[in-house]
Amino acid sequence: MFTQSLPPCGFSIVVKFHGSLMHDLSVFRTAVAELERLVERGHRILVVPGGDLNDKAMERVDDLYRPPSVMTHHACARVQDETGYLLANRAFSSKLVPSATLSECRSLAKVGKIPVLLASRMLFTTDSVEWSLDITSNAVAAWIAWVTNAPLLAILTDVDGVYRNAATHDPEAFIEEIDAHDLAELGQASVDSCAAHFMSLRGAAGVVINGTHPNRLRDWTEGKHVKATYITTNERIPSCSP
């Protein structure tokens, strides 16, 4: 799957921003404002956008017509870029800036901006991905966290974390902590099996947090325990202090 790595890029957190957080404008604005506050506190954040609704449309097309896999997944990658452009719209924030390269992302973070990575160019030119529906924006975010040597990955979504059998309506199904290897074996969940498997292989810890409660992300960066799913590995979980 992914085989390349880069020197540290200076990011303290890679945030996967799920497209579902954009359905409610007030929720979206609050989540963006929280990212801005974290940067003001010294964090260097790299945002990886998700695709959400348009991704699901592409999956339905794939199920019905079976187009070439490269065509489908190039389209899905472009959809994630589109979400990134919406996320970085200056109508919502002057700090979030779309960028297609890691070098530009590093430069933006150094001056207090929040780069939003449009990852399709990297994916297409490095040819690092085995194109499959198992490769989602979560897996891309896990890969970006690895190639940039970011200490932790935060998957910001619209549910409290990972639930067994994706039963988000059932409090008993909520998983507070899980090893990345076990998560990869879990099946349908908030984090796809490819991302979990990659995290397990690379010893990359992470957390799945409900972005509709943005204070949870802030509290997590301060070392406080929050309602979320903590994805652990055999490695020691590093500090996420800036």
Side-chain angles (χ1 to χ4, degrees), residues 97-99 103-116:
V97 181
S99 176
S103 61
E104 186 178 359
C105 287
R106 288 194 296 268
S107 298
L108 289 167
K110 286 179 181 178
V111 295
K113 300 295 185 179
I114 305 173
V116 179

Side-chain angles (χ1 to χ4, degrees), residues 104-193:
E104 186 178 359
C105 287
R106 288 194 296 268
S107 298
L108 289 167
K110 286 179 181 178
V111 295
K113 300 295 185 179
I114 305 173
V116 179
L117 181 62
L118 311 178
S120 67
R121 178 176 169 185
M122 283 184 62
L123 295 173
F124 300 161
T125 57
T126 61
D127 196 26
S128 301
V129 176
E130 177 183 339
W131 297 105
S132 161
L133 282 177
D134 291 333
I135 309 294
T136 71
S137 52
N138 287 329
V140 173
W143 176 56
I144 294 298
W146 174 64
V147 297
T148 59
N149 279 313
L152 281 180
L153 166 67
I155 298 176
L156 208 62
T157 184
D158 62 346
V159 294
D160 288 334
V162 176
Y163 290 76
R164 291 179 181 83
N165 302 315
T168 56
H169 60 283
D170 181 7
E172 297 298 320
F174 177 72
I175 300 173
E176 184 172 339
E177 183 176 316
I178 188 169
D179 181 85
H181 175 76
D182 294 333
L183 180 59
E185 301 295 323
L186 191 63
Q188 186 180 11
S190 303
V191 180
D192 64 84
S193 59

Side-chain angles (χ1 to χ4, degrees), residues 8-80:
C9 292
F11 299 111
S12 55
I13 313 169
V14 168
V15 175
K16 156 61 192 312
F17 198 100
H18 201 283
S20 62
L21 293 172
M22 303 179 74
H23 295 177
D24 185 318
L25 187 57
S26 63
V27 168
F28 171 58
R29 287 183 180 276
T30 302
V32 168
E34 190 59 36
L35 295 179
E36 292 176 331
R37 280 190 285 270
L38 288 175
V39 167
E40 291 168 358
R41 295 182 181 195
H43 284 281
R44 290 190 177 181
I45 298 173
L46 175 59
V47 172
V48 178
D52 194 41
L53 293 179
N54 288 336
D55 268 350
K56 291 179 174 59
M58 289 304 305
E59 290 173 9
R60 288 196 294 272
V61 169
D62 186 76
D63 288 339
L64 288 172
Y65 302 108
R66 298 296 179 185
S69 60
V70 171
M71 180 186 299
T72 300
H73 295 287
H74 275 220
C76 286
R78 295 293 190 192
V79 164
Q80 291 167 28

